[in-house]
Amino acid sequence: AGAETVRRAVELDVASRFQESLVCYQEGIDLLLQVVKATKDEAKKHRYRQKISEYMTRAEDIKKHVEKEKRDGKYHKQIRIEENATGFGYEKLFLEYLTEIVSEVWVEDPYIRHIHQASRYSLYNFLRFCEMLVKGPCKVKTIHLLTSYDEGSGRSQQISGLEEIQQSLRNYGVTLNIEFSSSIHDREIRFNNGWMIKIGRGLDYFKKPQGRFSIGYCDFDLRPCHETTVDVFHTKHTEKM
């Protein structure tokens, strides 16, 4: 398993998918260290240690490269979510970027609307996103939401739902600022530690559950997804964008 993970790390490394390769290098190194502990043949131990040393050096080089890209505002990671893929709950996408210093979040999504809108569950999705923020490890104090009004009869329900989320967040010491725009088209999420995430479908990339008591209704990691692309950037100028 360790060798296979390292092979995958090398493939990703060659393809310049550095962030993913770094994760695989780290996992592969941990697995190989376990092999070394269980190996009694000294010659094999020596070979394993040599390889581990090489992989650790490469992992450190990649880590420095990624950190430089972050400092230069050039970091870019892309995740492709396939049609009907599972395992892409909000924690999977966002948690690694929600460091302890995150206190302010900006959400721009034109479709945070009425829960009964043509198979969309956008208000629930936004609520689920807020729940993730409240659970930490970050200490979010302010969430800024920019969305558009529901164009149909669901406007009053949309506003009522957002106000209910706003009040509930207040009980956790979090302020939700809500603004509406008729010209908003982009979908992006920004954190005040410099991370910006753009999702092709916004927060609404989950498929409608088959029923209220079907697997994936409550646990988003088990919910099938629509095909979409997630782009992650790091910039020192998030607040100005």
Side-chain angles (χ1 to χ4, degrees), residues 20-153:
E20 294 169 83
S21 72
L22 181 58
V23 173
C24 286
Y25 273 125
Q26 290 170 335
E27 290 179 359
I29 289 167
D30 287 340
L31 290 168
L32 290 176
L33 285 170
Q34 293 175 30
V35 172
V36 170
K37 288 180 181 178
T39 301
K40 295 181 180 179
D41 187 313
E42 290 300 324
K44 285 185 179 180
K45 274 190 175 185
H46 180 69
R47 287 197 298 273
Y48 281 132
R49 287 186 180 123
Q50 279 187 318
K51 283 296 181 183
I52 289 171
S53 178
E54 292 174 14
Y55 297 141
M56 288 179 73
T57 299
R58 181 54 188 158
E60 283 301 315
D61 289 343
I62 291 174
K63 194 180 295 184
K64 290 175 184 176
H65 175 76
V66 170
E67 288 301 321
K68 185 178 185 302
E69 284 191 325
K70 291 176 187 176
R71 288 195 300 271
D72 294 343
K74 298 176 181 177
Y75 179 89
H76 178 211
K77 173 183 177 181
Q78 188 173 82
I79 302 166
R80 292 182 179 86
I81 300 177
E82 303 294 336
E83 186 76 7
N84 291 317
T86 57
F88 288 95
Y90 292 147
E91 284 83 358
K92 170 73 173 178
L93 290 189
F94 298 110
L95 210 54
E96 67 176 291
Y97 310 111
L98 289 171
T99 57
E100 292 183 0
I101 66 171
V102 174
S103 59
E104 199 164 5
V105 177
W106 291 262
V107 178
E108 295 186 10
D109 190 324
Y111 296 111
I112 307 299
R113 296 182 176 182
H114 183 35
I115 60 174
H116 298 303
Q117 177 198 358
S119 84
R120 289 187 181 274
Y121 282 71
S122 300
L123 274 177
Y124 279 135
N125 290 346
F126 179 65
L127 174 60
R128 179 68 187 85
F129 177 77
C130 291
E131 288 175 337
M132 177 194 65
L133 295 177
V134 169
K135 286 165 66 177
C138 54
K139 306 297 180 186
V140 172
K141 295 299 180 185
T142 309
I143 301 171
H144 303 274
L145 172 65
L146 178 63
T147 189
S148 60
Y149 281 115
D150 193 309
E151 297 170 353
S153 59

